[in-house]
Amino acid sequence: MTYLPGAGIFGNLGAIDKLVKGLGALKVGQQFLDQMKNAPSLVKVREVNGTDELPHQRQVDGGVEGGNPVAAGKQGKHVIGHKNNNQSKEKGEKKNTWTEGTNGVPETQEGWMNGEDVPDRNGEFGTVKEYDTGKVVGSEGETWIKVHTDRYGNIHGYPIHK
């Protein structure tokens, strides 16, 4: 028999019921957060092809069916001539870039859908994937790409040597 202070010898069954319901809500909440990573965005996503200029921010879609939206600003850091890539260079940051004249959006979406799950910086799985495109996609001859997802399910990717 459980004794809860202020609830008598039989306990407060209403409080226990609320606790059980609350624990169930936490479990459902975690499942909801897990599903958010791959849920379609409710924000308007601009369609682009692989050679279109990217906006400085917002989300874009490269036409890969079922692909997550690509965060244009983060993707832009890896596009030659993009404002965000130029700002990274000014800060002295070296970013791997897509071949000149391309933005890598379709490859990034394909990489997220078909890539191999790899650990992130903290050794955790679920937010980073690597994918061999089988063709040169990077400005230094890279054929592999690394794709990251954020907590909202938006992705961005860049070429890597493997």
Side-chain angles (χ1 to χ4, degrees):
M1 184 173 308
T2 304
Y3 176 76
L4 296 175
I9 194 158
F10 296 108
N12 184 340
L13 297 179
I16 292 171
D17 186 48
K18 286 179 185 177
L19 176 63
V20 170
K21 286 180 182 177
L23 291 173
L26 285 174
K27 184 175 181 181
V28 169
Q30 182 60 50
Q31 291 171 345
F32 175 76
L33 290 174
D34 291 343
Q35 290 175 353
M36 285 291 294
K37 286 185 179 175
N38 289 315
S41 174
L42 299 177
V43 176
K44 184 174 178 174
V45 178
R46 179 177 153 192
E47 300 243 353
V48 297
N49 68 42
T51 58
D52 287 344
E53 187 175 318
L54 292 179
H56 300 303
Q57 297 298 323
R58 296 187 50 202
Q59 299 164 325
V60 293
D61 177 16
V64 175
E65 189 167 337
N68 290 37
V70 175
K74 292 176 183 176
Q75 187 82 4
K77 289 183 178 185
H78 304 281
V79 176
I80 297 170
H82 190 277
K83 173 186 169 189
N84 295 359
N85 180 261
N86 294 337
Q87 288 174 343
S88 293
K89 284 182 192 174
E90 290 170 8
K91 293 178 185 177
E93 299 172 353
K94 168 92 168 89
K95 300 287 183 184
N96 292 16
T97 54
W98 299 97
T99 55
E100 192 161 357
T102 64
N103 59 36
V105 172
E107 291 83 1
T108 296
Q109 289 182 308
E110 184 180 330
W112 182 253
M113 292 180 67
N114 301 317
E116 177 184 332
D117 202 23
V118 296
D120 64 13
R121 292 179 187 164
N122 301 319
E124 303 289 326
F125 286 85
T127 62
V128 181
K129 293 185 180 185
E130 291 180 351
Y131 179 67
D132 183 5
T133 65
K135 62 182 180 178
V136 173
V137 293
S139 61
E140 296 184 8
E142 302 97 333
T143 61
W144 283 79
I145 61 174
K146 184 175 273 194
V147 184
H148 297 261
T149 185
D150 64 20
R151 62 183 169 177
Y152 304 109
N154 301 314
I155 57 176
H156 80 282
Y158 50 90
I160 61 169
H161 285 289
K162 183 105 170 163

